[in-house]
Amino acid sequence: MAHASNARHHTAAAIGPDHTTSPVSPNRTAEPVSATSPVEPVSTTCTTEPVDTKPTNTKPTGTDTNTGIHTEPTHSTDQAHPQNPEQPTPSRTHSNTGNLTHGPLIPAMLRFSIPYLITCFLQSCYELVDLLIVGRFNGADSVSAVSTGSQMTHLVTVTIVGLTTGVTVTISHAIGAKRMDKVQRQIGQSIRLFILVTIIATIMLTACADPLLRLLSTPTEAFSQAHDYVTVCFLGTPFIVAYNVISAIFRGFGDSRHPMYFVALAGLLNVGLDLAFIGGAHMQAAGAALATVISQAFSVAAALIYLNIANSGIRLRAADLAYDWAGTRQILTIGTPIALQELCIQVSFIVITAIANGRGLEISASVGIVEKIISFLFLVPSAMLSTVSVVAGQNAGARQHSRSKTALRYGITMCVIYGAVICIACQIWGADIVRIFSPDDETVVRYGAQYLSSYSFDCILAGVHFCFSGFFSAYGQSMYTFAHNIISVLAVRIPGAYVASLLWPDNLFPMGCAAPLGSLLSILICSALYYLRFSKRHPAAIQTE
């Protein structure tokens, strides 16, 4: 089941108190307005001084130099502006469930990150279940086909997830600023943009299926089934895109629970369809792909039904779907660097796997097992990245920059504590952990324990730069995230793994050191960028809108 690795509240519970916005004149001072009386046009006085306080009912006009997100003067009221009847009026059943701009931060961050973590875990399990069921009813050719095909579909999925980060961040900014008109426009622009992305991606991926399989050196015996698998999955690209766009919207509203529910239901359906198509209909790898696509379609349908019946207070208008380059540019400016980063990182994993494959069967198996273990262990830092991004994004929109920085510190602290526990456990029980996956081959266990022993230090370090990446993305600086990851991959991870394979051919501990050393370089780069742009010594780096 190939959903997102990174899943997002488009519900009333996320919007907070009953507020909406209305246009105001730029030349008058805003005054309190009764919710039951007509609303007169009001204005604010523009300011360029950095502000780091809680939001008020008035906001200056301008553009955030870090986010590039333009805001207009707004005034909160419980009714739509009488001169702007199309302005949405939120439901009076709103609660503060998804509002992350007030209240204790740690409980709020845990409420967001835990459902997201469970979502990622379920998605990882779905892919594993596909392989287990295929292996139960078919031979090695089907297993190889699904394994190779899932690598390609995962590459596509994480790239799409990276691009939808722009949706999450821009919506979270608008939510923090209580700009429901901006929320609706960004949702409309997301729909327009990703319809185009879907069409292009589906055509290109389907046409390039065979060349991509040859590039991955797919075994001849498995090529036909792999072709069937990826073709069916690529034809289901519209559902992959739709699910991740909807999830991005949910997260922007501060809700990670409902995507978890949709994925859990779709996962159960996926298992049932796997058994029916593979075990009952003997469709082999194509059956696994068809089960995945149908499950993805189900998750999209479930999300759309929920949005239709939920009292969200969001009503898209024709004007929201009209072309708006400014809104589309904001999504692309934030999402494109992250999508390219994810693409390059996945390619680097393939390169490192190729290096390991050249060192013999036992080492190849050991590296493959440890990479799978690490992918599970990294679910927590990944969840915290998304949490910091959404929390900091909402508070950046609300101009509560100190709270954004506090979220970053809390995220780093939680990741370091988690990573330290995992690292210690891997030092003590590394061999036993690897033996779970290869109980009969002590050579694989020995090499795997060496690799896991050094690689596990990355559980501590990676969480730090993951949190920095989430913070930078929240402030529209996703290019920082792209830069430090690409420098780390090209300067340390790939060359480090290659050099270690040459100098220590019979020991995987040095090769495992490449990952934490790469993360250490990322931390140094992130720390320097944070000091230069966001530290208290340079407060002008954070401008108000």
Side-chain angles (χ1 to χ4, degrees):
M1 176 99 184
H3 284 301
S5 57
N6 251 12
R8 303 175 211 248
H9 192 146
H10 181 67
T11 68
I15 303 174
D18 295 335
H19 289 299
T20 186
T21 59
S22 59
V24 296
S25 168
N27 299 316
R28 295 172 56 191
T29 303
E31 297 178 0
V33 180
S34 170
T36 59
S37 61
V39 182
E40 295 297 331
V42 295
S43 73
T44 63
T45 302
C46 184
T47 178
T48 59
E49 292 297 318
V51 178
D52 194 17
T53 59
K54 294 183 179 180
T56 63
N57 280 348
T58 59
K59 294 178 61 183
T61 302
T63 301
D64 190 304
T65 59
N66 285 296
T67 63
I69 297 178
H70 179 74
T71 59
E72 299 169 358
T74 63
H75 186 82
S76 296
T77 178
D78 288 338
Q79 292 184 348
H81 195 290
Q83 298 179 7
N84 186 13
E86 290 190 350
Q87 185 74 6
T89 303
S91 162
R92 294 187 179 275
T93 62
H94 293 164
S95 69
N96 294 322
T97 303
N99 193 324
L100 304 171
T101 60
H102 62 272
L105 257 179
I106 292 181
M109 293 174 71
L110 291 176
R111 283 195 301 270
F112 183 91
S113 62
I114 290 176
Y116 177 74
L117 174 62
I118 295 173
T119 301
C120 294
F121 177 77
L122 290 174
Q123 290 164 354
S124 299
C125 288
Y126 300 155
E127 296 176 0
L128 183 60
V129 167
D130 282 347
L131 281 175
L132 289 175
I133 295 178
V134 166
R136 171 66 178 80
F137 292 100
N138 298 278
D141 55 343
S142 296
V143 173
S144 177
V146 172
S147 177
T148 302
S150 62
Q151 273 188 297
M152 294 176 58
T153 56
H154 181 70
L155 189 68
V156 173
T157 300
V158 297
T159 304
I160 293 172
V161 170
L163 195 58
T164 59
T165 303
V167 178
T168 298
V169 171
T170 55
I171 288 178
S172 67
H173 270 275
I175 290 295
K178 295 182 173 63
R179 288 291 310 276
M180 299 311 299
D181 58 330
K182 181 63 178 285
V183 171
Q184 295 190 170
R185 285 204 304 272
Q186 287 305 103
I187 293 174
Q189 295 314 300
S190 301
I191 294 172
R192 287 182 58 95
L193 172 62
F194 283 96
I195 286 176
L196 180 61
V197 169
T198 298
I199 295 172
I200 295 174
T202 303
I203 294 174
M204 290 185 61
L205 290 171
T206 305
C208 297
D210 284 357
L212 289 173
L213 288 172
R214 294 190 184 96
L215 187 64
L216 291 177
S217 301
T218 305
T220 304
E221 299 83 358
F223 193 92
S224 176
Q225 288 197 57
H227 168 83
D228 294 341
Y229 182 90
V230 299
T231 299
V232 172
C233 287
F234 288 161
L235 289 174
T237 298
F239 300 118
I240 298 177
V241 175
Y243 171 80
N244 285 294
V245 171
I246 294 172
S247 295
I249 294 171
F250 272 100
R251 279 199 214 162
F253 276 87
D255 179 13
S256 58
R257 291 184 299 112
H258 285 88
M260 177 185 68
Y261 300 151
F262 304 142
V263 168
L265 292 174
L268 293 175
L269 177 62
N270 185 61
V271 172
L273 292 177
D274 273 343
L275 292 172
F277 294 156
I278 299 171
H282 307 290
M283 295 177 65
Q284 299 181 312
L290 186 60
T292 296
V293 170
I294 293 176
S295 300
Q296 290 168 344
F298 173 80
S299 66
V300 172
L304 291 176
I305 290 172
Y306 172 76
L307 292 177
N308 186 52
I309 64 177
N311 193 11
S312 65
I314 296 293
R315 297 191 304 273
L316 288 182
R317 304 158 295 174
D320 297 322
L321 295 170
Y323 179 70
D324 176 11
W325 168 239
T328 302
R329 183 188 62 201
Q330 290 165 10
I331 296 172
L332 292 175
T333 299
I334 296 170
T336 301
I338 297 178
L340 293 175
Q341 162 205 309
E342 292 293 340
L343 181 63
C344 292
I345 289 175
Q346 293 302 316
V347 170
S348 74
F349 288 156
I350 294 175
V351 172
I352 292 175
T353 300
I355 293 173
N357 290 343
R359 298 178 63 180
L361 182 60
E362 289 83 3
I363 289 180
S364 174
S366 301
V367 170
I369 289 172
V370 172
E371 292 288 353
K372 179 62 69 177
I373 294 170
I374 291 294
S375 69
F376 275 93
L377 297 179
F378 270 31
L379 292 179
V380 171
S382 295
M384 196 52 61
L385 183 156
S386 181
T387 301
V388 171
S389 178
V390 172
V391 174
Q394 286 198 13
N395 283 282
R399 296 182 293 163
Q400 299 186 104
H401 303 300
S402 292
R403 186 175 172 89
S404 297
K405 295 179 182 180
T406 302
L408 172 62
R409 291 196 298 271
Y410 285 165
I412 290 175
T413 301
M414 286 187 274
C415 282
V416 168
I417 293 173
Y418 163 81
V421 172
I422 293 298
C423 185
I424 292 171
C426 289
Q427 306 308 311
I428 299 174
W429 299 295
D432 295 325
I433 295 172
V434 176
R435 192 173 284 110
I436 295 173
F437 297 88
S438 181
D440 301 324
D441 194 329
E442 284 301 314
T443 302
V444 171
V445 171
R446 176 168 57 85
Y447 281 130
Q450 293 171 355
Y451 193 52
L452 182 59
S453 178
S454 55
Y455 204 148
S456 61
F457 284 97
D458 201 30
C459 293
I460 303 175
L461 300 174
V464 178
H465 69 76
F466 274 33
C467 291
F468 272 119
S469 293
F471 182 85
F472 292 151
S473 298
Y475 277 89
Q477 300 294 348
S478 54
M479 187 58 71
Y480 292 175
T481 301
F482 171 77
H484 81 76
N485 275 289
I486 295 305
I487 292 172
S488 170
V489 166
L490 298 180
V492 178
R493 290 179 183 266
I494 291 179
Y498 179 71
V499 170
S501 68
L502 296 178
L503 298 179
W504 294 277
D506 297 322
N507 192 339
L508 285 185
F509 185 92
M511 185 175 175
C513 291
L517 289 175
S519 289
L520 182 60
L521 176 59
S522 284
I523 291 173
L524 294 175
I525 296 173
C526 288
S527 299
L529 291 171
Y530 181 84
Y531 175 81
L532 293 173
R533 295 302 306 272
F534 298 100
S535 73
K536 291 183 178 179
R537 297 185 181 183
H538 299 80
I542 301 177
Q543 298 290 340
T544 58
E545 298 171 0

